[in-house]
Amino acid sequence: MSSATPETAMAGGDAHARELETRFRLALKAQKRRAVMMRVGLNIAGIVLAIVLWEVTRFLPGVNEVLFPPPSIVIAEAIPMIASGEIPNNILVSLKRAGGGFVIAALLAVVVGVLTARLPVFNFLTEPLLHGSRSLPAIALVPLSVLWFGIGEAAKIALVCWGAFFPIWVNTFIGVRDVHPIYLRSAACLGAGRVQTLLWVVLPAALPMILAGLRQSIAISLIVLVAAELSGATAGVAYMMSMGHQLFRVDVMFIGLFLLAALGFLADRLFVALTRKLFPWYASSH
Amino acid sequence: MSPAPPLIEASSVTQIFAASDGEPSWALKNASLAVAPGEFVCIIGPSGCGKSTLLHMIAGFLTPTEGSLRFRGRPIEAPGPERGVVFQEYALFAWMTVRQNVEFGLKMRGIGKAERRDKARRFLDVVGLAKMADRYPHELSGGMRQRVAVARALVNEPEVLLMDEPFAAVDAITRATLQDELLRLWQEFRISVVFITHNIDEAIFLGERIVVMSAHPGTIRSEVRIDLPYPRDRGSAEFARLYARIGAELYGKGKETR
Ligand SMILES: Nc1ncnc2c1ncn2[C@@H]1O[C@H](COP(=O)(O)OP(=O)(O)OP(=O)(O)O)[C@@H](O)[C@H]1O
Ligand SMILES: [Mg+2]
């Protein structure tokens, strides 16, 4: 019946319309591909430009190649370290720590965020503790953690977890607290119970905030990771840098910096891509 | 003689909210309303007169400060699927497709997948949106979203549809189409409708009875029975006469009742 429904596919069913649709689809696809290629191209161009400028610095007067090594030296140094497995191993070790801490933090923080936002008693009970702990920088706990737990993996994962917990918790709390009442009312009058409302309505509605918290915490995980590895580790990207420091190998320190930047950037991109894939309604409604 | 018991009965309900300074503020004072099974009642009144408050009480979102509400003789304590609600806007779940929105109530009540699919399909068909099943709400026009909202409420087979200015946010042409469709669905499913509007024309076009409310404090001022046959002709003299009468009731011009 209802007339006001615009049709997408097969409008009218005539050959011309169908051909027009085909052309439209192809053009749209090509346009999207061009946009992606242009973006990636410019990203790469930016990196190349920075490397070239950096390389040029060696010809400037007063620049000490040992203190500020140009990329050619850094790369020449990095290649054998990659080939020997030293760099990949350090990356893996660091990723395990940062990733492990982040995942544990994410699970805990979402649960605690939902509980604090939905149960006033739990919220009031934990409010002073959580907000007090939140203002402690995770880095301030590093010395204590080394003293208590030594330099084992668990201590580092716990530190990362501590740092990553708070942004996710705060954002989940706000997201759940501020779910539009119309959503809750809709769910209630459609017959949803408490748990069902939480799973199908509250969490998805709070998702944009939860994702924002997760994204913030990815960056924080790396910061805490570095702090933890600098003060006692036997492997890892930041450990490698501290070795570079002790052996006065600035080139190795640069390799570490570059790896950290790349890890942070890639983790963030991966997160955004995953979000798009998993939550199409969220990505496309913004 | 004993008339058929009403489906919904609000007896002298009063709602006091806390104003921002903490003082009591009367949203609704001693309002009584009965809705018969299958009846189409429109509630009209100026902004802030307590229309939504009254509807929210019937839906079970609000407990009155004083007075009682009954549905089929039983006190209303919580929202339930026998009372479907259609809000003004933004009530569709943004993270679900049209189909998932319509299936939501059935899923919550544990109805199996195949039956859900089937029913959702039928009700989307009824509102003319079968082809939009896999879209997300943000991909639809305002009128389509309200159709989905109506389908989502109807698929639960409620006994009453509570509608709070459901067509206020759509353009005049879409609104007229939606009004026609609503009347058709009401006649097809034989359910009661409680319909809030600001619009006199809409109230006369739709309702068997119009409840006129006034503000400060929110009260029910009068009730007008509309005996015109459906479909109603907006151009008729009778329509114009009713329009003038309801306008007078609303704006309180004179006390003449006829
Ligand atoms: N949660 C609340 N807290 C405090 N005051 C409220 C609350 N909800 C409504 N009110 C007040 O109660 C009165 C009636 O509100 P209600 O929403 O029922 O009016 P309405 O007739 O639906 O108005 P509109 O046509 O603008 O939607 C208003 O004065 C409003 O400010
Ligand atoms: Mg209202």
Side-chain angles (χ1 to χ4, degrees), chain B:
Chain B
M1 56 177 238
S2 76
L7 184 70
I8 297 167
E9 195 171 20
S11 333
S12 324
V13 287
T14 293
Q15 181 69 48
I16 303 178
F17 286 113
S20 47
D21 58 1
E23 285 299 299
S25 142
W26 293 69
L28 198 61
K29 191 171 180 178
N30 271 333
S32 295
L33 175 73
V35 179
E39 192 183 16
F40 199 130
V41 177
C42 287
I43 301 178
I44 194 166
S47 192
C49 70
K51 303 182 294 292
S52 298
T53 303
L54 182 57
L55 195 88
H56 289 168
M57 285 178 179
I58 300 173
F61 303 147
L62 265 181
T63 314
T65 313
E66 204 174 68
S68 73
L69 288 130
R70 287 170 178 278
F71 184 84
R72 285 204 176 286
R74 277 196 299 277
I76 294 176
E77 274 155 5
E82 69 288 348
R83 283 159 286 141
V85 181
V86 178
F87 299 90
Q88 183 171 338
E89 51 184 341
Y90 304 127
L92 292 182
F93 301 127
W95 50 92
M96 295 182 194
T97 62
V98 164
R99 185 208 316 281
Q100 290 165 337
N101 263 285
V102 175
E103 284 185 14
F104 183 82
L106 303 171
K107 187 168 170 180
M108 294 305 106
R109 290 188 296 141
I111 289 168
K113 190 165 178 174
E115 191 183 344
R116 280 198 326 247
R117 273 288 141 99
D118 213 50
K119 277 199 167 163
R121 204 190 153 68
R122 192 149 55 80
F123 279 87
L124 278 173
D125 227 18
V126 157
V127 297
L129 288 177
K131 295 221 166 69
M132 298 291 166
D134 295 316
R135 301 282 187 97
Y136 284 95
H138 71 89
E139 298 173 293
L140 306 183
S141 72
M144 291 184 210
R145 284 183 214 175
Q146 285 311 63
R147 286 199 185 92
V148 177
V150 169
R152 184 176 75 170
L154 280 180
V155 77
N156 263 340
E157 294 168 38
E159 293 175 74
V160 61
L161 214 47
L162 306 170
M163 309 181 82
D164 192 353
E165 302 191 44
F167 308 149
V170 298
D171 64 273
I173 297 172
T174 308
R175 176 188 277 230
T177 319
L178 291 172
Q179 289 168 352
D180 285 332
E181 287 178 15
L182 178 61
L183 283 178
R184 187 177 55 74
L185 294 175
W186 167 61
Q187 284 159 348
E188 184 178 335
F189 292 97
R190 307 183 156 277
I191 56 177
S192 304
V193 179
V194 178
F195 188 103
I196 291 182
T197 177
H198 269 128
N199 186 312
I200 303 180
D201 174 273
E202 185 166 64
I204 303 174
F205 187 75
L206 294 175
E208 295 178 291
R209 185 155 57 99
I210 299 181
V211 175
V212 183
M213 295 183 63
S214 59
H216 311 298
T219 45
I220 291 179
R221 177 187 282 258
S222 59
E223 295 196 5
V224 180
R225 183 154 285 288
I226 310 289
D227 278 326
L228 304 181
Y230 295 95
R232 290 173 177 164
D233 175 10
R234 290 188 161 90
S236 73
E238 189 65 0
F239 202 98
R241 200 186 59 73
L242 281 163
Y243 195 103
R245 177 170 167 207
I246 308 258
E249 299 271 1
L250 257 183
Y251 306 116
K253 288 191 212 110
K255 286 274 179 279
E256 82 274 37
T257 30
R258 196 157 261 252

Side-chain angles (χ1 to χ4, degrees), chain A residues 34 64 72 91 171 216 271:
Chain A
R34 265 200 308 279
N64 180 336
S72 50
I91 292 178
N171 280 279
Q216 243 174 296
F271 181 77

